[in-house]
Amino acid sequence: MSDLPNLDAGSVRFPDPTALAGPRSTHPPRILLLYGSLRERSYSRFLTLEAERLLRLFGCETRIFHADGLPLPDDAEASHPKVAELREACLWSEGQVWCSPERHGAMTGVMKAQIDWIPLSMGAIRPTQGRTLALMQVSGGSQSFNALNQMRVLGRWMRMVTIPNQSSVPKAFAEFDEAGRMRASPLYDRVVDVMEELVKFTLLTRDVSAHLTDRYSERKEAAKALEARVNLSAAVR
């Protein structure tokens, strides 16, 4: 590594194929579903419920977080029951589904508030890092991908493994019957595709996410902090 003078050799870890081929968990994939509406007749909730039915068909254990009663970010303490419920569900999950209506060309405030309440870290634990993520949106008009694109950026920011496929349902009022069930159509077929892909990616990555998200820069920073602490201990003896 003599031709890489900026590299901290002590913090380098080479990708290890054996670390990606170890024992596999046998419990059902644990999927948390979030949706971005509080309306009584909420198409994002209907779509989330359809996704949950498919995930259960594919052998998953699921939880849906309902945001009613969730305070605005920074308008309550993290000990608030709804905040604590959301954070506990994130830690429980191995994969997530985010589904938002598009409002004013963006995801809703309800959706963003949920994500804003999820910290990047809780002590030494990152509640979203390495977890898989599937994205869906509903629109009142023509097909759009604005909310999806925003959530994809957030998924990356939250260090999640966001799957390639996604679902956008235009004119959602026409795609669900009075009981809130999605009608048969290519749009429904896409939802099936997305949930199937999410389960596959979750099974593929859940047992190796620690290796996949182990970062050189963080190892280097941790090593320097340890060195400083050791040197301080020696200095005060």
Side-chain angles (χ1 to χ4, degrees):
M1 290 187 284
S2 59
D3 60 338
L4 297 169
N6 296 328
L7 196 67
D8 179 3
S11 300
V12 173
R13 299 287 185 276
F14 295 100
D16 181 7
T18 62
L20 302 173
R24 294 290 175 175
S25 298
T26 57
H27 64 269
R30 299 192 293 261
I31 308 296
L32 171 65
L33 300 96
L34 310 179
Y35 65 96
S37 173
L38 300 178
R39 293 174 59 189
E40 181 176 352
R41 184 167 177 81
S42 164
Y43 296 110
S44 62
R45 185 177 76 250
F46 292 161
L47 185 57
T48 297
L49 289 169
E50 291 291 349
E52 182 184 40
R53 295 181 186 101
L54 291 165
L55 290 168
R56 289 181 173 177
L57 174 67
F58 294 144
C60 296
E61 183 179 355
T62 62
R63 293 186 190 179
I64 294 179
F65 178 77
H66 302 285
D68 51 304
L70 182 71
L72 289 173
D74 303 324
D75 196 35
E77 298 296 326
S79 57
H80 187 283
K82 290 296 290 190
V83 177
E85 177 190 348
L86 174 59
R87 292 185 175 187
E88 189 279 328
C90 284
L91 291 173
W92 166 86
S93 70
E94 296 169 328
Q96 297 186 18
V97 177
W98 296 354
C99 179
S100 178
E102 181 172 316
R103 181 172 295 168
H104 300 317
M107 78 180 81
T108 62
V110 173
M111 189 75 234
K112 186 60 163 57
Q114 293 174 77
I115 299 169
D116 283 348
W117 269 119
I118 304 170
L120 283 175
S121 62
M122 297 169 61
I125 301 173
R126 298 189 186 276
T128 53
Q129 177 166 292
R131 287 160 175 78
T132 51
L133 174 64
L135 303 173
M136 305 190 297
Q137 80 163 71
V138 295
S139 303
S142 58
Q143 192 169 48
S144 173
F145 302 93
N146 291 323
L148 288 170
N149 291 337
Q150 287 187 323
M151 291 190 291
R152 192 167 289 275
V153 169
L154 283 170
R156 186 185 71 226
W157 186 262
M158 302 300 285
R159 298 184 172 188
M160 304 181 79
V161 181
T162 309
I163 67 171
N165 214 340
Q166 59 188 19
S167 168
S168 174
V169 179
K171 296 183 180 179
F173 59 86
E175 298 299 329
F176 294 87
D177 63 21
E178 286 303 310
R181 296 303 306 270
M182 194 171 185
R183 305 181 194 278
S185 73
L187 295 170
Y188 176 80
D189 294 345
R190 173 59 68 90
V191 177
V192 180
D193 289 346
V194 173
M195 294 306 110
E196 181 182 42
E197 186 172 293
L198 175 65
V199 176
K200 291 176 181 177
F201 270 79
T202 304
L203 292 171
L204 181 67
T205 62
R206 66 177 179 175
D207 294 305
V208 296
S209 63
H211 182 67
L212 292 173
T213 57
D214 184 30
R215 297 185 175 188
Y216 162 79
S217 60
E218 293 177 351
R219 291 193 301 269
K220 181 180 176 183
E221 182 180 1
K224 286 186 176 180
L226 175 61
E227 181 182 3
R229 187 166 66 250
V230 170
N231 289 341
L232 178 61
S233 298
V236 297
R237 285 180 182 172

